[in-house]
Amino acid sequence: MSLACAACPVRDSAACSVLEEEEREALARTGRTREIKRGELLFAAGDESTACATLVSGALKVSSVDQDGVERILALIHPAGFVGELFAPFAEHDVIALSDSRVCLFGRADLDRAIETHPALGRALLRRSQEDLHESRRLLELAGRKNAGDRVGGLLLALAHAASDSPCHPAARFDLPLTRGEMASVLGLTIETVSRSLTALVGSGAIRKTGGRGIELLDPARLEASSA
Amino acid sequence: MSLACAACPVRDSAACSVLEEEEREALARTGRTREIKRGELLFAAGDESTACATLVSGALKVSSVDQDGVERILALIHPAGFVGELFAPFAEHDVIALSDSRVCLFGRADLDRAIETHPALGRALLRRSQEDLHESRRLLELAGRKNAGDRVGGLLLALAHAASDSPCHPAARFDLPLTRGEMASVLGLTIETVSRSLTALVGSGAIRKTGGRGIELLDPARLEASSA
DNA sequence: CGTTGGTTTGACATGGATCAATTTGAGTGG
DNA sequence: CCACTCAAATTGATCCATGTCAAACCAACG
């Protein structure tokens, strides 16, 4: 399927938004969209890196599997996010869909050419890369907290921010995009500990569970630095 | 002090190495070098971000202090590395010298202008930013390992790689650039646990301590995935 | 020497991992 | 609409690795 930028939900926030209309059209002709089902692999660690992608809708995870077969989630990708190796010859990590997703795929060569001819695109990708770096460091802080409860609280807050339309306020109510196992894998905990921490947070009145995946933040301040 | 690129030890590896001679001279005129003593602060979290820096010699850490006053090291910067916010208005984290260091400082405005006029510089910074991102994710994997011994082993290996001139082989013998406390802060452990893990690694014959800061890798393979 | 900062070692307590069993919820087919 | 199935989530009981507290050690340096 070829690209339909006009109707793209991230046309104003993805890296390609810095391009002029005709430049975008040119790039669009070289790319294509792809649907990915939950759990499906977009890129595999070690694969030759021949393509990059912008996430249009859904959510992705960047993960690796450590020596004893336990998955470790290294990054969460939200719509308008960019994944893929721009320089390294091989993919470093797996990229997998957390939920049914849609991406825009670009060949490395085409993308290189586009960056070459449109410096603004390069700058946009640089900006995004720096944001990814900050995000990664935030995750490092999060996963390094001492109490399991603090980690889970921090993750909830981060997910609430990601789910919010407003960039600076967390959503008061949102659906968890992650299973307990995935939350555990992000935080370096076990499923059981995540579950227990959540029930503790409910018990302390900081959050409430609404329906299956729903979470309501009752006391966001408490989550910031809770010894709950 | 103004810049003396001709004698710069990282003139072929830092981001500015992609510039032509005269372009580099122009950028150099806007920048200046600065000496930083061990423990000194280069940038402080929350400061208005008015400058960026390339590390010429020494080593830096990017760190933050969590709610209970414990420092968390989020990244290690080696010579030719780049630090500073290119886009965010405020610095996110502290940047501190791990050892006596020398940096090249560039004003944000000057750097923006240089990127604007020399797209190759933007691409070089993009490449570096992606490498930093990989580095950060590697750290995330490292700090997420389950056994303290594995984490310490992995860190030793990473430091050995950084200390090596060859890009793909770890140095067989090198000096630790970090105190026990700093290693603990990178790995999310305590000083005592790091110390105990090291003596365990010595006991198992994987490494040897030579002199004060010296480490000799006897069995690098063991460090990769050691249950030591 | 004595002081100081970093390191090592020991004893003990505890938070989270592990193992195991039960409950919940979302399909799926009758 | 109900019964069945399967994956995910919760809860409980136990154990161990690492945190915590405390003391001794060591090398550098005045």
Side-chain angles (χ1 to χ4, degrees):
Chain A
M1 191 204 292
S2 98
L3 302 180
C5 297
C8 177
V10 297
R11 63 168 285 140
D12 297 320
S13 48
C16 47
S17 67
V18 300
L19 296 176
E20 302 295 332
E21 199 55 47
E22 67 270 22
E23 295 171 342
R24 183 203 291 263
E25 288 300 328
L27 181 59
R29 272 190 294 279
T30 73
R32 61 197 194 81
T33 67
R34 180 170 157 200
E35 306 270 349
I36 315 171
K37 286 255 196 49
R38 162 174 244 273
E40 221 180 308
L41 196 62
L42 175 58
F43 302 133
D47 273 8
E48 208 173 341
S49 166
T50 60
C52 298
T54 287
L55 179 61
V56 175
S57 68
L60 307 176
K61 64 181 171 186
V62 176
S63 68
S64 72
V65 178
D66 69 14
Q67 57 263 43
D68 22 77
V70 181
E71 177 187 50
R72 197 69 225 280
I73 295 182
L74 302 173
L76 301 174
I77 310 293
H78 302 292
F82 182 89
V83 287
E85 305 290 340
L86 249 17
F87 300 96
F90 301 103
E92 292 253 339
H93 304 292
D94 295 329
V95 178
I96 301 173
L98 282 169
S99 57
D100 296 354
S101 301
R102 174 190 298 261
V103 297
C104 263
L105 276 172
F106 304 102
R108 262 276 285 271
D110 293 325
L111 200 55
D112 280 347
R113 209 171 308 122
I115 291 174
E116 194 89 32
T117 54
H118 309 299
L121 181 60
R123 255 174 287 140
L125 288 173
L126 175 56
R127 170 172 225 148
R128 192 158 283 286
S129 176
Q130 294 250 305
E131 275 164 18
D132 286 349
L133 183 57
H134 284 146
E135 195 55 44
S136 173
R137 289 179 178 167
R138 257 191 290 280
L139 220 99
L140 201 49
E141 281 183 288
L142 200 61
R145 303 246 248 261
K146 290 204 289 289
N147 301 319
D150 288 4
R151 297 194 211 177
V152 173
L155 179 60
L156 287 182
L157 218 46
L159 293 174
H161 270 105
S164 164
D165 350 278
S166 138
C168 44
H169 289 299
R173 197 209 157 284
F174 66 101
D175 282 339
L176 282 175
L178 304 176
T179 65
R180 296 289 180 275
E182 285 158 348
M183 293 176 70
S185 169
V186 170
L187 297 173
L189 297 170
T190 60
I191 294 180
E192 294 92 326
T193 302
V194 171
S195 178
R196 277 186 251 266
S197 301
L198 280 172
T199 64
L201 286 171
V202 171
S204 79
I207 65 170
R208 214 164 59 191
K209 295 193 221 173
T210 67
R213 312 227 68 92
I215 292 285
E216 189 173 348
L217 302 190
L218 299 178
D219 187 354
R222 175 102 54 92
L223 292 182
E224 287 284 6
S226 67
S227 13
Chain B
M1 189 203 295
S2 99
L3 301 179
C5 297
C8 176
V10 296
R11 62 168 286 140
D12 296 322
S13 48
C16 48
S17 68
V18 301
L19 296 176
E20 303 295 332
E21 200 56 47
E22 65 271 20
E23 297 170 341
R24 184 204 291 262
E25 289 299 330
L27 182 59
R29 273 191 293 279
T30 74
R32 61 197 194 79
T33 67
R34 181 173 157 200
E35 306 270 348
I36 316 171
K37 288 253 196 51
R38 163 175 242 272
E40 222 182 307
L41 196 62
L42 176 59
F43 302 134
D47 273 8
E48 209 175 338
S49 166
T50 60
C52 298
T54 288
L55 180 62
V56 175
S57 68
L60 307 176
K61 64 181 171 187
V62 177
S63 67
S64 71
V65 178
D66 69 15
Q67 56 262 43
D68 23 77
V70 182
E71 178 187 50
R72 195 71 222 282
I73 295 183
L74 301 172
L76 302 174
I77 310 294
H78 302 292
F82 182 89
V83 287
E85 305 290 340
L86 249 18
F87 300 96
F90 300 104
E92 294 252 339
H93 304 291
D94 294 329
V95 178
I96 301 173
L98 281 169
S99 56
D100 295 354
S101 301
R102 174 191 296 263
V103 298
C104 263
L105 276 173
F106 303 103
R108 261 276 286 270
D110 293 326
L111 200 56
D112 280 347
R113 207 171 309 121
I115 291 174
E116 195 87 32
T117 54
H118 309 300
L121 180 59
R123 254 174 286 139
L125 287 173
L126 175 56
R127 172 175 221 145
R128 192 158 284 284
S129 176
Q130 294 251 302
E131 274 163 18
D132 286 349
L133 183 59
H134 285 145
E135 195 55 45
S136 174
R137 289 178 180 168
R138 255 191 292 279
L139 231 128
L140 201 49
E141 281 183 288
L142 200 61
R145 303 247 249 260
K146 290 204 289 291
N147 301 319
D150 289 5
R151 297 193 211 178
V152 173
L155 179 60
L156 286 182
L157 219 45
L159 293 174
H161 269 104
S164 165
D165 351 277
S166 137
C168 43
H169 290 299
R173 198 209 155 286
F174 66 101
D175 282 339
L176 282 176
L178 304 176
T179 66
R180 298 287 181 274
E182 286 159 346
M183 293 175 68
S185 169
V186 170
L187 298 173
L189 298 171
T190 60
I191 294 181
E192 294 92 326
T193 303
V194 170
S195 179
R196 277 187 251 266
S197 301
L198 280 172
T199 65
L201 285 171
V202 170
S204 79
I207 65 171
R208 215 165 59 191
K209 295 192 219 173
T210 67
R213 311 226 69 92
I215 291 286
E216 189 174 348
L217 302 189
L218 298 177
D219 188 353
R222 174 103 53 94
L223 293 182
E224 287 284 7
S226 68
S227 14

